[in-house]
Amino acid sequence: MAALAVAVLAVAVAAAGAQCPAPADLRAADGSRVCAQLYADNSAYYEQCCAGAVLLVEPGTDVPYVPSNWAARVSSLVVATRCELTVWDKAGKKGHSRRFSAGAVPRLQEVRRGLLGSWNDAIKGYYCKCN
């Protein structure tokens, strides 16, 4: 019985550490398809990325102006299978842009934006489409 309790606790601690979901696993609570998930937090440890507040992006979503509580806040993202997320670093879909295809990007600070910048906390507009 004690071994079972330790195993359950270990699974709970691992889940609390947050790890990026697989692109094929992206679904809303009602089971509908999600184009991408944007996360407010990342970490120096990959197994702790894709954490914090989550913004679900539905297929076909076109957001030239990210809501103020999400502007320049995205630090990790996951794009669903057969989907593509295009992001901009200036409101109104202006400035630098970048396309992310299906997959996880646990640390946007490792993705270059321009000569000296990164995409960490830089997304101010996005468009997501799925096939």
Side-chain angles (χ1 to χ4, degrees), residues 4-107:
L4 177 61
V6 170
V8 170
L9 180 60
V11 169
V13 169
Q19 185 171 350
C20 297
D25 294 341
L26 294 189
R27 296 272 176 214
D30 65 2
S32 62
R33 186 172 191 190
V34 172
C35 186
Q37 287 184 186
L38 311 179
Y39 298 88
D41 299 332
N42 68 15
S43 171
Y45 303 102
Y46 286 99
E47 65 274 2
Q48 295 176 6
C49 290
C50 296
V54 179
L55 179 62
L56 295 178
V57 179
E58 296 178 5
T61 300
D62 188 1
V63 179
Y65 299 92
V66 174
S68 61
N69 61 330
W70 274 97
R73 187 172 173 209
V74 179
S75 294
S76 302
L77 61 84
V78 179
V79 179
T81 305
R82 297 185 358 238
C83 295
E84 181 179 80
L85 175 70
T86 304
V87 299
W88 287 267
D89 66 352
K90 296 202 184 301
K93 299 192 323 189
K94 297 181 180 174
H96 292 99
S97 67
R98 168 89 187 212
R99 286 194 175 124
F100 294 95
S101 56
V105 182
R107 295 171 40 102

